[in-house]
């Protein structure tokens, strides 16, 4: 049985960087909690809990003197709150997210009005970006929403939540251009997610079965499973123990892909287990 692992599976650059920063600080003897779960993977969360690193909902909940800001970033009010309470921050905000925060701020400072963020209103990354731009931008999630706004004669700034698709971002820009006097676009997308989706699609097209690894509550993993299912038989698992031998009967080629919050040891364990089925 041939096994093809999708290129770029598992931790993205930002998550890998955050995990390394956390490990380094832990090895240096620092003790801390994380503000929200660091990633959507129950095994990684459990590993951290075993080291005494808890995911807390607010700064008030921690008893430690240090707290981790996760890759999604937070609004400046959280930095201020930590400072007032004397809590040190281990800031693992992904540099691509910092770029989006700075871009929104710059557009507001330069007088673009409205500044639009193409993204999901409730997403922690978007809440962080809004905070860095004095909560002035407006969050939009479809070109229809942009068309319903009164943009005639206005100078519009547009950025994107890092994980939005190119098509959605471009369609919102196009909608703004229909009436706005000026449209200033800063492309703040991170191509990692889309690249992984495309690579998954290419592998799924040619294999008999696809195994998608990642947390059940990880939206980027669920999306990979949806994509793979369009082309072949696909299974979404969190752990190698969920693999069933019958899935691989009469199978010549298996594809393996994993969401951005799946560690490489878990991908390797899944591949080993599939190999054991012959
Ligand atoms: S998906 Fe992109 S923006 Fe998000 S953490 Fe990973 S590298 Fe950073």
């Amino acid at each position: 049985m041939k096994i093809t692992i999708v290129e770029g599976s598992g931790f993205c650059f930002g998550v890998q960087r955050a995990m390394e920063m956390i490990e380094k600080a832990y090895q240096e003897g620092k003790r801390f909690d994380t503000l929200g779960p660091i990633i959507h993977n129950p095994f990684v969360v459990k590993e951290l809990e075993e080291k005494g690193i808890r995911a807390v909902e607010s700064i008030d909940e921690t008893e430690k003197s240090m707290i981790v800001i996760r890759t999604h970033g937070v609004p400046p009010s959280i930095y201020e709150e930590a400072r007032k309470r004397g809590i040190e921050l281990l800031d693992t905000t992904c540099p691509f997210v910092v770029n989006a925060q700075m871009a929104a701020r710059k557009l507001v400072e330069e007088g673009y009005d409205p500044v639009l963020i193409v993204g999901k209103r409730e997403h922690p990354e978007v809440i962080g970006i809004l905070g860095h731009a004095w909560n002035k931008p407006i969050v939009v999630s479809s070109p229809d929403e942009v068309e319903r706004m009164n943009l005639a004669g206005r100078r519009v700034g547009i950025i994107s939540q890092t994980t939005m698709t190119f098509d959605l971002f471009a369609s919102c820009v196009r909608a703004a251009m229909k009436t706005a006097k000026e449209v200033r676009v800063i492309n703040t997308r991170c191509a990692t997610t889309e690249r992984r989706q495309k690579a998954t699609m290419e592998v799924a097209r040619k294999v008999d079965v696809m195994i998608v690894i990642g947390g059940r509550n990880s939206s980027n993993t669920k999306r990979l499973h949806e994509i793979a299912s369009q082309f072949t038989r696909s299974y979404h698992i969190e752990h190698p123990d969920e693999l069933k031998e019958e899935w691989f009967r009469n199978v010549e080629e298996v594809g393996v892909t994993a969401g951005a919050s799946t560690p490489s040891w878990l991908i390797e364990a899944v591949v080993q287990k599939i190999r054991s089925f012959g």
Side-chain angles (χ1 to χ4, degrees):
M1 200 156 49
K2 187 177 168 207
I3 302 172
T4 305
I5 303 172
V6 170
E7 216 184 299
S9 291
F11 285 174
C12 61
F13 156 77
V15 171
Q16 181 67 33
R17 177 178 170 272
M19 296 308 288
E20 282 167 13
M21 287 171 78
I22 289 172
E23 186 56 28
K24 184 167 175 279
Y26 185 80
Q27 293 304 335
E28 284 168 357
K30 300 199 171 121
R31 293 300 173 255
F32 44 81
D33 287 327
T34 65
L35 193 53
I38 198 81
I39 50 173
H40 289 302
N41 187 288
F43 301 101
V44 176
V45 171
K46 194 161 162 266
E47 244 181 31
L48 294 172
E49 274 170 4
E50 280 163 7
K51 289 177 169 167
I53 305 168
R54 285 190 318 131
V56 294
E57 288 307 313
S58 72
I59 288 185
D60 298 340
E61 277 179 45
T62 189
E63 286 154 8
K64 317 252 173 66
S65 58
M66 187 185 230
I67 201 156
V68 176
I69 302 295
R70 55 190 175 171
T71 56
H72 296 318
V74 291
S77 55
I78 300 284
Y79 293 84
E80 186 53 27
E81 196 186 332
R83 198 189 55 79
K84 277 195 195 137
R85 296 175 55 98
I87 291 180
E88 209 186 323
L89 293 177
L90 178 57
D91 189 354
T92 74
T93 309
C94 176
F96 294 133
V97 174
V98 173
N99 182 38
Q101 294 169 346
M102 294 303 104
R105 195 182 177 94
K106 178 177 142 87
L107 289 171
V108 171
E109 276 171 347
E110 288 178 359
Y112 288 93
D113 180 26
V115 170
L116 306 180
I117 303 173
V118 180
K120 293 184 186 145
R121 214 160 270 117
E122 305 308 323
H123 195 284
E125 178 189 317
V126 172
I127 294 168
I129 296 173
L130 280 167
H132 283 270
W134 305 279
N135 286 311
K136 293 242 170 93
I138 297 170
V139 185
V140 291
S141 55
S142 73
D144 291 350
E145 264 179 76
V146 179
E147 281 191 22
R148 282 199 298 272
M149 299 172 88
N150 179 15
L151 300 179
R154 295 170 76 177
R155 296 172 69 229
V156 179
I158 307 190
I159 66 153
S160 168
Q161 182 182 338
T162 55
T163 47
M164 288 296 107
T165 65
F166 171 81
D167 289 347
L168 178 63
F169 187 43
S171 61
C172 289
V173 170
R174 217 176 296 127
M177 285 176 72
K178 286 185 181 168
T179 50
K181 179 170 84 175
E182 182 187 339
V183 179
R184 167 94 164 94
V185 181
I186 303 183
N187 185 1
T188 51
R189 292 172 54 255
C190 155
T192 310
T193 312
E194 237 169 318
R195 224 180 284 134
R196 186 195 314 255
Q197 288 173 355
K198 268 197 191 120
T200 296
M201 197 187 299
E202 274 155 30
V203 172
R205 272 181 209 282
K206 61 184 182 101
V207 297
D208 306 302
V209 61
M210 197 79 192
I211 303 298
V212 183
I213 319 160
R216 298 232 185 278
N217 53 357
S218 149
S219 50
N220 78 84
T221 310
K222 284 194 268 188
R223 183 77 192 115
L224 290 178
H225 175 50
E226 276 167 23
I227 290 171
S229 303
Q230 290 165 14
F231 300 96
T232 192
R233 193 153 49 88
S234 173
Y235 300 99
H236 176 180
I237 60 163
E238 276 187 347
H239 193 270
D241 289 348
E242 292 167 52
L243 291 168
K244 294 202 172 86
E245 194 163 1
E246 70 232 37
W247 295 349
F248 306 97
R249 241 171 247 148
N250 304 320
V251 161
E252 280 177 19
E253 191 165 353
V254 183
V256 174
T257 189
S261 45
T262 307
S264 52
W265 63 261
L266 202 50
I267 302 175
E268 193 43 45
V270 167
V271 170
Q272 291 302 339
K273 180 99 189 239
I274 298 173
R275 281 214 179 97
S276 75
F277 296 141

PDB file of all heavy atoms in Angstrom, residues 126-153:
ATOM      1  N   VAL A 126      -9.870  38.470  14.623  1.00  0.00           N
ATOM      2  CA  VAL A 126     -10.546  39.686  14.154  1.00  0.00           C
ATOM      3  C   VAL A 126     -10.776  40.647  15.330  1.00  0.00           C
ATOM      4  O   VAL A 126     -10.581  41.861  15.205  1.00  0.00           O
ATOM      5  CB  VAL A 126     -11.864  39.322  13.436  1.00  0.00           C
ATOM      6  CG1 VAL A 126     -12.674  40.560  13.105  1.00  0.00           C
ATOM      7  CG2 VAL A 126     -11.550  38.519  12.170  1.00  0.00           C
ATOM      8  N   ILE A 127     -11.130  40.092  16.486  1.00  0.00           N
ATOM      9  CA  ILE A 127     -11.335  40.936  17.680  1.00  0.00           C
ATOM     10  C   ILE A 127     -10.018  41.654  18.017  1.00  0.00           C
ATOM     11  O   ILE A 127      -9.995  42.845  18.334  1.00  0.00           O
ATOM     12  CB  ILE A 127     -11.842  40.070  18.862  1.00  0.00           C
ATOM     13  CG1 ILE A 127     -13.244  39.537  18.527  1.00  0.00           C
ATOM     14  CG2 ILE A 127     -11.838  40.851  20.181  1.00  0.00           C
ATOM     15  CD1 ILE A 127     -13.776  38.461  19.445  1.00  0.00           C
ATOM     16  N   GLY A 128      -8.904  40.926  17.879  1.00  0.00           N
ATOM     17  CA  GLY A 128      -7.583  41.521  18.127  1.00  0.00           C
ATOM     18  C   GLY A 128      -7.271  42.625  17.126  1.00  0.00           C
ATOM     19  O   GLY A 128      -6.842  43.715  17.506  1.00  0.00           O
ATOM     20  N   ILE A 129      -7.527  42.350  15.847  1.00  0.00           N
ATOM     21  CA  ILE A 129      -7.226  43.351  14.798  1.00  0.00           C
ATOM     22  C   ILE A 129      -8.049  44.619  15.051  1.00  0.00           C
ATOM     23  O   ILE A 129      -7.530  45.738  14.989  1.00  0.00           O
ATOM     24  CB  ILE A 129      -7.535  42.781  13.384  1.00  0.00           C
ATOM     25  CG1 ILE A 129      -6.625  41.591  13.070  1.00  0.00           C
ATOM     26  CG2 ILE A 129      -7.367  43.870  12.316  1.00  0.00           C
ATOM     27  CD1 ILE A 129      -6.969  40.858  11.774  1.00  0.00           C
ATOM     28  N   LEU A 130      -9.332  44.424  15.354  1.00  0.00           N
ATOM     29  CA  LEU A 130     -10.204  45.579  15.620  1.00  0.00           C
ATOM     30  C   LEU A 130      -9.621  46.435  16.743  1.00  0.00           C
ATOM     31  O   LEU A 130      -9.542  47.664  16.634  1.00  0.00           O
ATOM     32  CB  LEU A 130     -11.602  45.100  16.023  1.00  0.00           C
ATOM     33  CG  LEU A 130     -12.530  44.669  14.884  1.00  0.00           C
ATOM     34  CD1 LEU A 130     -13.740  43.930  15.432  1.00  0.00           C
ATOM     35  CD2 LEU A 130     -12.982  45.882  14.064  1.00  0.00           C
ATOM     36  N   GLY A 131      -9.203  45.776  17.808  1.00  0.00           N
ATOM     37  CA  GLY A 131      -8.650  46.492  18.966  1.00  0.00           C
ATOM     38  C   GLY A 131      -7.438  47.327  18.593  1.00  0.00           C
ATOM     39  O   GLY A 131      -7.283  48.453  19.064  1.00  0.00           O
ATOM     40  N   HIS A 132      -6.588  46.787  17.726  1.00  0.00           N
ATOM     41  CA  HIS A 132      -5.372  47.514  17.327  1.00  0.00           C
ATOM     42  C   HIS A 132      -5.696  48.707  16.423  1.00  0.00           C
ATOM     43  O   HIS A 132      -4.830  49.537  16.174  1.00  0.00           O
ATOM     44  CB  HIS A 132      -4.379  46.576  16.639  1.00  0.00           C
ATOM     45  CG  HIS A 132      -3.660  45.710  17.629  1.00  0.00           C
ATOM     46  ND1 HIS A 132      -2.480  46.074  18.234  1.00  0.00           N
ATOM     47  CD2 HIS A 132      -4.004  44.517  18.162  1.00  0.00           C
ATOM     48  CE1 HIS A 132      -2.111  45.135  19.084  1.00  0.00           C
ATOM     49  NE2 HIS A 132      -3.012  44.168  19.057  1.00  0.00           N
ATOM     50  N   ALA A 133      -6.929  48.759  15.925  1.00  0.00           N
ATOM     51  CA  ALA A 133      -7.317  49.886  15.056  1.00  0.00           C
ATOM     52  C   ALA A 133      -8.463  50.668  15.712  1.00  0.00           C
ATOM     53  O   ALA A 133      -9.390  51.130  15.038  1.00  0.00           O
ATOM     54  CB  ALA A 133      -7.728  49.359  13.676  1.00  0.00           C
ATOM     55  N   TRP A 134      -8.405  50.762  17.058  1.00  0.00           N
ATOM     56  CA  TRP A 134      -9.374  51.555  17.840  1.00  0.00           C
ATOM     57  C   TRP A 134     -10.824  51.130  17.578  1.00  0.00           C
ATOM     58  O   TRP A 134     -11.742  51.941  17.669  1.00  0.00           O
ATOM     59  CB  TRP A 134      -9.207  53.055  17.550  1.00  0.00           C
ATOM     60  CG  TRP A 134      -7.809  53.559  17.771  1.00  0.00           C
ATOM     61  CD1 TRP A 134      -7.259  53.898  18.977  1.00  0.00           C
ATOM     62  CD2 TRP A 134      -6.790  53.756  16.792  1.00  0.00           C
ATOM     63  NE1 TRP A 134      -5.954  54.284  18.791  1.00  0.00           N
ATOM     64  CE2 TRP A 134      -5.635  54.224  17.473  1.00  0.00           C
ATOM     65  CE3 TRP A 134      -6.734  53.586  15.405  1.00  0.00           C
ATOM     66  CZ2 TRP A 134      -4.449  54.515  16.813  1.00  0.00           C
ATOM     67  CZ3 TRP A 134      -5.543  53.872  14.750  1.00  0.00           C
ATOM     68  CH2 TRP A 134      -4.428  54.330  15.447  1.00  0.00           C
ATOM     69  N   ASN A 135     -11.030  49.902  17.220  1.00  0.00           N
ATOM     70  CA  ASN A 135     -12.378  49.364  16.933  1.00  0.00           C
ATOM     71  C   ASN A 135     -13.116  50.135  15.845  1.00  0.00           C
ATOM     72  O   ASN A 135     -14.349  50.129  15.800  1.00  0.00           O
ATOM     73  CB  ASN A 135     -13.230  49.295  18.213  1.00  0.00           C
ATOM     74  CG  ASN A 135     -12.766  48.156  19.101  1.00  0.00           C
ATOM     75  OD1 ASN A 135     -12.601  47.022  18.633  1.00  0.00           O
ATOM     76  ND2 ASN A 135     -12.503  48.459  20.353  1.00  0.00           N
ATOM     77  N   LYS A 136     -12.364  50.820  14.982  1.00  0.00           N
ATOM     78  CA  LYS A 136     -13.003  51.614  13.922  1.00  0.00           C
ATOM     79  C   LYS A 136     -13.414  50.772  12.710  1.00  0.00           C
ATOM     80  O   LYS A 136     -14.423  51.077  12.071  1.00  0.00           O
ATOM     81  CB  LYS A 136     -12.051  52.729  13.460  1.00  0.00           C
ATOM     82  CG  LYS A 136     -11.791  53.785  14.531  1.00  0.00           C
ATOM     83  CD  LYS A 136     -12.296  55.125  14.047  1.00  0.00           C
ATOM     84  CE  LYS A 136     -12.295  56.173  15.123  1.00  0.00           C
ATOM     85  NZ  LYS A 136     -11.092  56.973  15.168  1.00  0.00           N
ATOM     86  N   PRO A 137     -12.643  49.737  12.318  1.00  0.00           N
ATOM     87  CA  PRO A 137     -13.015  49.001  11.097  1.00  0.00           C
ATOM     88  C   PRO A 137     -14.375  48.299  11.217  1.00  0.00           C
ATOM     89  O   PRO A 137     -14.900  48.090  12.312  1.00  0.00           O
ATOM     90  CB  PRO A 137     -11.891  47.968  10.939  1.00  0.00           C
ATOM     91  CG  PRO A 137     -10.747  48.533  11.680  1.00  0.00           C
ATOM     92  CD  PRO A 137     -11.357  49.258  12.852  1.00  0.00           C
ATOM     93  N   ILE A 138     -14.899  47.967  10.054  1.00  0.00           N
ATOM     94  CA  ILE A 138     -16.166  47.226   9.982  1.00  0.00           C
ATOM     95  C   ILE A 138     -15.840  45.840   9.427  1.00  0.00           C
ATOM     96  O   ILE A 138     -15.096  45.717   8.445  1.00  0.00           O
ATOM     97  CB  ILE A 138     -17.168  47.955   9.051  1.00  0.00           C
ATOM     98  CG1 ILE A 138     -17.492  49.332   9.635  1.00  0.00           C
ATOM     99  CG2 ILE A 138     -18.455  47.140   8.860  1.00  0.00           C
ATOM    100  CD1 ILE A 138     -18.275  50.224   8.679  1.00  0.00           C
ATOM    101  N   VAL A 139     -16.395  44.813  10.063  1.00  0.00           N
ATOM    102  CA  VAL A 139     -16.111  43.439   9.611  1.00  0.00           C
ATOM    103  C   VAL A 139     -17.183  43.022   8.608  1.00  0.00           C
ATOM    104  O   VAL A 139     -18.379  43.183   8.857  1.00  0.00           O
ATOM    105  CB  VAL A 139     -16.093  42.458  10.808  1.00  0.00           C
ATOM    106  CG1 VAL A 139     -15.676  41.063  10.339  1.00  0.00           C
ATOM    107  CG2 VAL A 139     -15.155  42.962  11.902  1.00  0.00           C
ATOM    108  N   VAL A 140     -16.743  42.517   7.467  1.00  0.00           N
ATOM    109  CA  VAL A 140     -17.697  42.040   6.443  1.00  0.00           C
ATOM    110  C   VAL A 140     -17.335  40.597   6.082  1.00  0.00           C
ATOM    111  O   VAL A 140     -16.179  40.199   6.144  1.00  0.00           O
ATOM    112  CB  VAL A 140     -17.669  42.910   5.152  1.00  0.00           C
ATOM    113  CG1 VAL A 140     -18.240  44.284   5.400  1.00  0.00           C
ATOM    114  CG2 VAL A 140     -16.255  43.011   4.590  1.00  0.00           C
ATOM    115  N   SER A 141     -18.362  39.830   5.724  1.00  0.00           N
ATOM    116  CA  SER A 141     -18.066  38.432   5.418  1.00  0.00           C
ATOM    117  C   SER A 141     -18.550  38.010   4.033  1.00  0.00           C
ATOM    118  O   SER A 141     -18.451  36.843   3.674  1.00  0.00           O
ATOM    119  CB  SER A 141     -18.676  37.524   6.486  1.00  0.00           C
ATOM    120  OG  SER A 141     -20.045  37.790   6.583  1.00  0.00           O
ATOM    121  N   SER A 142     -19.101  38.983   3.252  1.00  0.00           N
ATOM    122  CA  SER A 142     -19.533  38.627   1.887  1.00  0.00           C
ATOM    123  C   SER A 142     -19.566  39.883   1.018  1.00  0.00           C
ATOM    124  O   SER A 142     -19.720  41.001   1.531  1.00  0.00           O
ATOM    125  CB  SER A 142     -20.938  38.011   1.932  1.00  0.00           C
ATOM    126  OG  SER A 142     -21.884  39.023   2.196  1.00  0.00           O
ATOM    127  N   PRO A 143     -19.452  39.700  -0.323  1.00  0.00           N
ATOM    128  CA  PRO A 143     -19.523  40.876  -1.212  1.00  0.00           C
ATOM    129  C   PRO A 143     -20.894  41.554  -1.139  1.00  0.00           C
ATOM    130  O   PRO A 143     -20.990  42.771  -1.296  1.00  0.00           O
ATOM    131  CB  PRO A 143     -19.268  40.281  -2.599  1.00  0.00           C
ATOM    132  CG  PRO A 143     -19.338  38.802  -2.467  1.00  0.00           C
ATOM    133  CD  PRO A 143     -19.124  38.454  -1.034  1.00  0.00           C
ATOM    134  N   ASP A 144     -21.948  40.778  -0.858  1.00  0.00           N
ATOM    135  CA  ASP A 144     -23.299  41.379  -0.736  1.00  0.00           C
ATOM    136  C   ASP A 144     -23.317  42.432   0.363  1.00  0.00           C
ATOM    137  O   ASP A 144     -23.902  43.504   0.209  1.00  0.00           O
ATOM    138  CB  ASP A 144     -24.346  40.305  -0.404  1.00  0.00           C
ATOM    139  CG  ASP A 144     -24.557  39.365  -1.572  1.00  0.00           C
ATOM    140  OD1 ASP A 144     -24.037  39.675  -2.661  1.00  0.00           O
ATOM    141  OD2 ASP A 144     -25.210  38.324  -1.383  1.00  0.00           O
ATOM    142  N   GLU A 145     -22.670  42.089   1.485  1.00  0.00           N
ATOM    143  CA  GLU A 145     -22.627  43.040   2.600  1.00  0.00           C
ATOM    144  C   GLU A 145     -21.935  44.332   2.159  1.00  0.00           C
ATOM    145  O   GLU A 145     -22.360  45.423   2.529  1.00  0.00           O
ATOM    146  CB  GLU A 145     -21.825  42.435   3.752  1.00  0.00           C
ATOM    147  CG  GLU A 145     -22.672  41.770   4.807  1.00  0.00           C
ATOM    148  CD  GLU A 145     -21.790  41.182   5.893  1.00  0.00           C
ATOM    149  OE1 GLU A 145     -21.282  41.932   6.731  1.00  0.00           O
ATOM    150  OE2 GLU A 145     -21.589  39.949   5.874  1.00  0.00           O
ATOM    151  N   VAL A 146     -20.858  44.189   1.385  1.00  0.00           N
ATOM    152  CA  VAL A 146     -20.113  45.376   0.938  1.00  0.00           C
ATOM    153  C   VAL A 146     -20.996  46.195  -0.008  1.00  0.00           C
ATOM    154  O   VAL A 146     -21.059  47.422   0.081  1.00  0.00           O
ATOM    155  CB  VAL A 146     -18.790  44.966   0.234  1.00  0.00           C
ATOM    156  CG1 VAL A 146     -18.029  46.191  -0.246  1.00  0.00           C
ATOM    157  CG2 VAL A 146     -17.922  44.125   1.161  1.00  0.00           C
ATOM    158  N   GLU A 147     -21.717  45.517  -0.888  1.00  0.00           N
ATOM    159  CA  GLU A 147     -22.562  46.238  -1.858  1.00  0.00           C
ATOM    160  C   GLU A 147     -23.698  47.002  -1.187  1.00  0.00           C
ATOM    161  O   GLU A 147     -24.144  48.026  -1.674  1.00  0.00           O
ATOM    162  CB  GLU A 147     -23.115  45.249  -2.897  1.00  0.00           C
ATOM    163  CG  GLU A 147     -22.048  44.930  -3.923  1.00  0.00           C
ATOM    164  CD  GLU A 147     -22.568  44.183  -5.130  1.00  0.00           C
ATOM    165  OE1 GLU A 147     -23.779  44.255  -5.407  1.00  0.00           O
ATOM    166  OE2 GLU A 147     -21.739  43.511  -5.778  1.00  0.00           O
ATOM    167  N   ARG A 148     -24.156  46.470  -0.044  1.00  0.00           N
ATOM    168  CA  ARG A 148     -25.257  47.144   0.662  1.00  0.00           C
ATOM    169  C   ARG A 148     -24.791  48.404   1.399  1.00  0.00           C
ATOM    170  O   ARG A 148     -25.593  49.215   1.832  1.00  0.00           O
ATOM    171  CB  ARG A 148     -25.906  46.170   1.664  1.00  0.00           C
ATOM    172  CG  ARG A 148     -26.864  45.162   0.987  1.00  0.00           C
ATOM    173  CD  ARG A 148     -27.810  44.552   2.001  1.00  0.00           C
ATOM    174  NE  ARG A 148     -27.113  43.807   3.031  1.00  0.00           N
ATOM    175  CZ  ARG A 148     -26.792  42.510   2.932  1.00  0.00           C
ATOM    176  NH1 ARG A 148     -27.139  41.838   1.852  1.00  0.00           N
ATOM    177  NH2 ARG A 148     -26.164  41.899   3.908  1.00  0.00           N
ATOM    178  N   MET A 149     -23.455  48.574   1.536  1.00  0.00           N
ATOM    179  CA  MET A 149     -22.953  49.755   2.256  1.00  0.00           C
ATOM    180  C   MET A 149     -22.958  50.952   1.309  1.00  0.00           C
ATOM    181  O   MET A 149     -22.846  50.787   0.107  1.00  0.00           O
ATOM    182  CB  MET A 149     -21.506  49.509   2.724  1.00  0.00           C
ATOM    183  CG  MET A 149     -21.394  48.350   3.666  1.00  0.00           C
ATOM    184  SD  MET A 149     -19.679  47.949   4.017  1.00  0.00           S
ATOM    185  CE  MET A 149     -19.401  49.029   5.372  1.00  0.00           C
ATOM    186  N   ASN A 150     -23.060  52.126   1.890  1.00  0.00           N
ATOM    187  CA  ASN A 150     -23.032  53.316   1.048  1.00  0.00           C
ATOM    188  C   ASN A 150     -21.585  53.792   0.900  1.00  0.00           C
ATOM    189  O   ASN A 150     -21.076  54.539   1.734  1.00  0.00           O
ATOM    190  CB  ASN A 150     -23.924  54.393   1.686  1.00  0.00           C
ATOM    191  CG  ASN A 150     -23.919  55.655   0.860  1.00  0.00           C
ATOM    192  OD1 ASN A 150     -23.491  55.640  -0.306  1.00  0.00           O
ATOM    193  ND2 ASN A 150     -24.346  56.756   1.461  1.00  0.00           N
ATOM    194  N   LEU A 151     -20.938  53.365  -0.180  1.00  0.00           N
ATOM    195  CA  LEU A 151     -19.513  53.669  -0.335  1.00  0.00           C
ATOM    196  C   LEU A 151     -19.267  54.733  -1.408  1.00  0.00           C
ATOM    197  O   LEU A 151     -18.113  55.084  -1.680  1.00  0.00           O
ATOM    198  CB  LEU A 151     -18.732  52.382  -0.692  1.00  0.00           C
ATOM    199  CG  LEU A 151     -18.809  51.236   0.326  1.00  0.00           C
ATOM    200  CD1 LEU A 151     -18.016  50.038  -0.168  1.00  0.00           C
ATOM    201  CD2 LEU A 151     -18.288  51.679   1.696  1.00  0.00           C
ATOM    202  N   ALA A 152     -20.332  55.245  -1.985  1.00  0.00           N
ATOM    203  CA  ALA A 152     -20.176  56.191  -3.100  1.00  0.00           C
ATOM    204  C   ALA A 152     -19.316  57.381  -2.683  1.00  0.00           C
ATOM    205  O   ALA A 152     -19.574  58.028  -1.660  1.00  0.00           O
ATOM    206  CB  ALA A 152     -21.547  56.657  -3.566  1.00  0.00           C
ATOM    207  N   GLY A 153     -18.257  57.633  -3.474  1.00  0.00           N
ATOM    208  CA  GLY A 153     -17.398  58.800  -3.238  1.00  0.00           C
ATOM    209  C   GLY A 153     -16.476  58.659  -2.040  1.00  0.00           C
ATOM    210  O   GLY A 153     -15.792  59.604  -1.666  1.00  0.00           O
TER     211      GLY A 153
END
